[in-house]
Amino acid sequence: MLSDISSTEGRLAVTAAIVLGTLAVGWLLLPRAVRAGEETVSGWVGRLLDERLSESTEGAVETLREGIPASFLLRLAVGLLQLALFALAGVAVLTLWGRFELVVAVLPVAENAVRVGGQVIASAVLLGGAYVVSDVVETYVGELSADSDRITAHQEQLLTRLVQVGLLVLAAITVLGIWGVNLGGLLVGAGFLGIVLGMAARQTLGSLIAGFVLMFARPFEIGDWVEIGSEEGFVTDITIMNTHMRNFDGEYVVVPNDLVANQAITNRSREGRLRIHMEVGIGYDDDPDEASEIAEEVLTDVGVIANNPRPYAIPSGFGDSAILLDLRFWIDPPTPQARWRSKALVVERIQERFADAGISIPYPQRTVSYPPEKTATDATVERVERADGNGDGRPRDGPV
């Protein structure tokens, strides 16, 4: 239709109409239409999310709404539509004036420009979307951790970082695929690099894997009183590679996670209470029942010791020098200070009460007896004869 107009006046009139129409649509109608459409879609999506999603995801949805730059996306959409409209108007004007061969000549360049522009836009959308979704995941995991006691702060941080890194890596691989990068060669190179790094850093990778195992197994948490191998103290931090502790001497101890995973772990804080075991000996001439009653009274009166479960003292065995009483009691909450203080108070008060009751706590002792057919004098003579070597009681000549 445009090529059929041959008069100059007609071409000028049509050109003016095309320019005015393009400006009116591109600068006046198009932004308003896009803005109205964006408001309609946003309201519909908001109502859908409010109806379908639970309360635990409301914070993530708000983060998604705040994280997506709506004004930037709106300007981008308007700009792309305006560019397409102006390009169409330019093609129409060139066709009107009989210069369509310019359109044909410029078409390959335009196709390349459109393709590159599409790749740039797709890459920006993917990377921006991954960044926004990572923020949404962080908010969602944080709210989920706040509502649940099963997710620790360490697990929350580690899980968030893993998801964020996974999203960014996936977005980066997708962007490389959009730009036509040979992913096969990159994967092969990454495989060889992974083998080399795995052989060179076996202990580091072992600590890394052990860190994930500790995260899911949860044998202890930050603030717990634990014993790991020969180290004992409070856990101050748990990272992917190491477990940080502070022992009772105030020293800062760092234990690699691979060593933590391969040793016995004693968590004294897990149950919220700790049982203390002590022994005390009484003389064989004393009454074990009376001593047990006195010991139980002492354990009950010590304020540091918990009364539930009830502390008890029972005769447990015959020692070399005494009858042994087994003392068992609980402290709640379990702390090193409570353990040391309870033991000190039990020792002091049992010693006082036993002394008042006339119950002895004997020293280690040994009784020497002789066979009935020999007297102590005969045994002494026999030892002297063996010492001098000649049987006459006189020292023999020369060194002995």
Side-chain angles (χ1 to χ4, degrees):
M1 293 174 56
L2 295 176
S3 61
D4 293 338
I5 301 174
S6 58
S7 62
T8 303
E9 294 79 1
R11 291 179 177 177
L12 290 174
V14 173
T15 301
I18 291 174
V19 171
L20 292 176
T22 303
L23 293 176
V25 174
W27 293 104
L28 297 178
L29 299 179
L30 190 60
R32 294 182 179 180
V34 172
R35 187 175 296 108
E38 189 272 336
E39 293 177 355
T40 302
V41 173
S42 177
W44 179 78
V45 172
R47 289 192 298 271
L48 179 64
L49 293 177
D50 292 338
E51 293 176 358
R52 297 292 180 85
L53 297 181
S54 60
E55 295 181 357
S56 61
T57 58
E58 290 181 358
V61 172
E62 292 298 329
T63 303
L64 181 61
R65 291 175 178 174
E66 295 176 359
I68 297 178
S71 59
F72 171 75
L73 295 178
L74 182 62
R75 289 195 298 269
L76 180 62
V78 171
L80 292 176
L81 292 176
Q82 288 176 343
L83 181 62
L85 182 62
F86 294 154
L88 183 60
V91 171
V93 171
L94 290 175
T95 303
L96 176 64
W97 290 93
R99 294 293 185 268
F100 191 74
E101 66 276 3
L102 294 177
V103 177
V104 176
V106 176
L107 187 60
V109 179
E111 290 178 353
N112 291 331
V114 171
R115 179 176 58 80
V116 174
Q119 290 175 337
V120 171
I121 294 174
S123 301
V125 169
L126 283 173
L127 294 177
Y131 180 77
V132 172
V133 172
S134 66
D135 287 345
V136 173
V137 170
E138 183 176 2
T139 303
Y140 178 75
V141 173
E143 294 183 353
L144 188 63
S145 175
D147 297 336
S148 176
D149 296 334
R150 301 181 61 184
I151 301 178
T152 63
H154 172 58
Q155 289 178 328
E156 173 190 346
Q157 181 181 8
L158 185 57
L159 183 61
T160 302
R161 295 294 178 265
L162 287 177
V163 174
Q164 290 177 341
V165 171
L167 286 173
L168 293 177
V169 169
L170 181 61
I173 292 176
T174 307
V175 168
L176 292 176
I178 291 174
W179 288 94
V181 178
N182 185 9
L183 297 179
L186 288 178
L187 292 177
V188 172
F192 281 111
L193 181 61
I195 294 174
V196 173
L197 291 178
M199 296 180 64
R202 287 175 294 178
Q203 185 174 1
T204 302
L205 291 178
S207 297
L208 182 64
I209 296 174
F212 287 105
V213 173
L214 291 176
M215 183 194 73
F216 291 105
R218 295 177 60 188
F220 51 79
E221 299 176 2
I222 296 176
D224 283 354
W225 172 17
V226 299
E227 180 180 355
I228 303 174
S230 60
E231 301 294 341
E232 183 177 5
F234 292 97
V235 178
T236 59
D237 192 15
I238 307 172
T239 64
I240 294 293
M241 304 299 298
N242 302 306
T243 296
H244 302 258
M245 300 172 55
R246 187 171 297 278
N247 62 19
F248 303 140
D249 294 331
E251 298 173 334
Y252 184 70
V253 181
V254 179
V255 184
N257 285 335
D258 58 336
L259 297 181
V260 176
N262 293 327
Q263 297 188 85
I265 300 173
T266 303
N267 192 333
R268 307 189 190 279
S269 303
R270 175 58 62 89
E271 299 298 329
R273 59 186 181 181
L274 180 66
R275 190 177 72 174
I276 307 298
H277 170 75
M278 296 177 62
E279 281 188 343
V280 61
I282 62 174
Y284 276 95
D285 296 332
D286 298 320
D287 185 3
D289 293 334
E290 180 185 1
S292 298
E293 293 178 0
I294 294 175
E296 288 183 356
E297 292 177 1
V298 170
L299 296 177
T300 305
D301 293 338
V302 175
V304 185
I305 298 176
N307 291 325
N308 188 17
R310 180 176 175 273
Y312 62 88
I314 58 174
S316 60
F318 297 99
D320 293 337
S321 305
I323 297 176
L324 301 179
L325 297 182
D326 188 7
L327 312 179
R328 297 191 180 187
F329 53 89
W330 298 81
I331 56 174
D332 183 12
T335 61
Q337 294 81 3
R339 182 177 65 174
W340 299 330
R341 181 171 176 77
S342 63
K343 285 186 174 182
L345 290 175
V346 168
V347 170
E348 292 175 0
R349 296 185 182 181
I350 284 183
Q351 196 274 337
E352 293 177 357
R353 292 290 303 274
F354 278 9
D356 295 339
I359 299 175
S360 63
I361 302 177
Y363 297 102
Q365 51 188 301
R366 178 172 297 176
T367 301
V368 180
S369 62
Y370 300 99
E373 64 273 9
K374 290 186 178 182
T375 62
T377 304
D378 295 337
T380 304
V381 172
E382 181 180 356
R383 286 198 297 270
V384 171
E385 291 177 352
R386 290 181 180 178
D388 60 29
N390 51 20
D392 56 2
R394 293 178 300 170
R396 63 183 178 182
D397 297 335
V400 179

